Amino acid sequence: MTIGVFDSGAGGLSVVAAIRASLPGQEIVYFADTAFVPYGSRSDGEILDRTRLCCARLLEHDVRALVIACNTATANAIDAVRAWAPVPVIGVEPGLKPGAAATRSGVVGVLATAATLASRRYAELLRRTRAEAPGVRFVEHAAQGWVELVESGEIDTPAARETIRASVAPLLQEGADTLVLGCTHYPFLRSAIEAAAPGVAIVETGPAIARELARRLHIAAGGPAADTDTTAAAPARLRLEASGDVERLAALAARLLPETE
Ligand code: DGL
C-alpha cells in the first residue's frame, strides 16, 4: 500500500523527508502540479480545482492515505477533498502553536504564501492560537519569490540569500525571535534563512505531519500496522509524477533529497 503526497511543486518533498524519517519503508507516490506552480498568487477557485484534480490522480494509485503537503492547497481545498476522498486526508498549516511555545520575545514571524495568509482557514487558526497564547504577537509576511527559488534549484546562491534577507528583515525589526515556515518549500531555504536571522528559532511542520500520518494509518489499520514499523532500515520508495516535466522534477528531487533513488 502506498501513501499519496501532493504539492504544487517540489516543496512537499520536505514533508516526504519527514515521512521517510518516521515511516521508513513506506511506498510514496508524489504528485507535483508543476504546470501550475506557484499556487500562492492564484485565485481560491483555481487552487481548489487544481487540488481536487491532482488528488484524484493520486487516488488512482489506490493510496491508503493522502497528504496535502501544501499549506496553500490545504487552506483552500482540504474540506472539499475530505468530502469525497475514501481515505484519510492529512493537511498542513503554519505552526503557530509551536511558534507561540518557542518565542521568548513574544513576537513570532509567520512566512507563507499570500493565498495562505489571506485564507479563512488561516484567520481561524490565528484566532484559536491567540486565544491560547494571548501574550504572543504574530507578524505575517508573504515571502515573494521564495517558491520560485526552490523550483529553480537556487537554494543557497547570493541572489537567494538577498531575496530571503529582504523578506526576513522586517520581521526581525518587529522583534521576532521565532520564524514559522508556513510553506513546505521554505525548509529547503533553511540555511539561507538561518544566515539572514542568526539565533532565531525556526518552526517547520514536516515532522508533525509525519507523526499525524503515522497516527492516522495506525487508526485505519485498527492497531499496529506491519508496514509502519519504524525499525525497518530501508528508506521509503518514492515515485514522482507531475503535471509538467517529470524529468525536471526528478532532477530537482535528486538535489533536494539526496537519498532519492
Ligand atoms: N508548498 C506550497 C505551500 O506550502 C507552495 C505554494 C505555492 O505554490 O505557491 O504553500
Side-chain angles (χ1 to χ4, degrees):
M1 279 288 239
T2 304
I3 305 299
V5 180
F6 161 66
D7 181 40
S8 58
L13 293 172
S14 66
V15 177
V16 167
I19 294 172
R20 283 177 149 182
S22 57
L23 295 171
Q26 193 75 50
E27 286 246 346
I28 297 174
V29 54
Y30 183 88
F31 191 93
D33 197 9
T34 51
F36 285 81
V37 67
Y39 277 11
S41 48
R42 292 189 179 275
S43 71
D44 293 359
E46 270 180 305
I47 297 166
L48 179 62
D49 289 350
R50 291 304 308 171
T51 302
R52 275 196 185 129
L53 212 92
C54 297
C55 288
R57 292 278 296 271
L58 281 170
L59 286 172
E60 287 169 12
H61 291 280
D62 195 23
V63 295
R64 60 191 293 198
L66 257 183
V67 178
I68 301 183
C70 176
N71 291 261
T72 312
T74 299
N76 283 278
I78 195 165
D79 293 338
V81 175
R82 280 187 173 142
W84 59 259
V87 295
V89 180
I90 293 114
V92 51
E93 59 189 10
L96 300 192
K97 284 180 195 172
T103 184
R104 284 172 308 283
S105 70
V107 183
V108 175
V110 183
L111 293 150
T113 67
T116 295
L117 295 175
S119 67
R120 218 174 322 135
R121 206 176 172 90
Y122 179 77
E124 178 55 25
L125 173 67
L126 186 61
R127 192 195 58 72
R128 285 198 313 269
T129 314
R130 275 186 180 144
E132 286 170 23
V136 176
R137 189 158 66 90
F138 293 92
V139 186
E140 290 94 359
H141 184 80
Q144 293 297 334
W146 289 28
V147 169
E148 290 85 343
L149 287 176
V150 175
E151 290 298 316
S152 62
E154 223 192 297
I155 51 179
D156 204 11
T157 61
R161 285 191 172 222
E162 184 44 39
T163 301
I164 285 160
R165 198 202 53 74
S167 288
V168 165
L171 300 176
L172 300 182
Q173 271 159 24
E174 291 277 350
D177 69 346
T178 302
L179 295 177
V180 171
L181 306 188
C183 168
T184 54
H185 280 73
Y186 302 169
F188 291 118
L189 301 168
R190 188 170 179 131
S191 53
I193 298 167
E194 283 171 346
V200 161
I202 294 176
V203 175
E204 288 184 28
T205 39
I209 304 312
R211 277 197 302 277
E212 177 61 10
L213 172 63
R215 194 184 71 83
R216 298 291 292 272
L217 292 177
H218 184 81
I219 292 169
D227 56 358
T228 60
D229 178 6
T230 54
T231 60
R237 281 203 40 215
L238 177 63
R239 187 171 357 150
L240 298 172
E241 295 190 358
S243 56
D245 183 348
V246 78
E247 296 299 324
R248 199 174 168 279
L249 175 68
L252 187 54
R255 284 194 57 195
L256 299 175
L257 299 180
E259 68 279 17
T260 297
E261 301 126 59

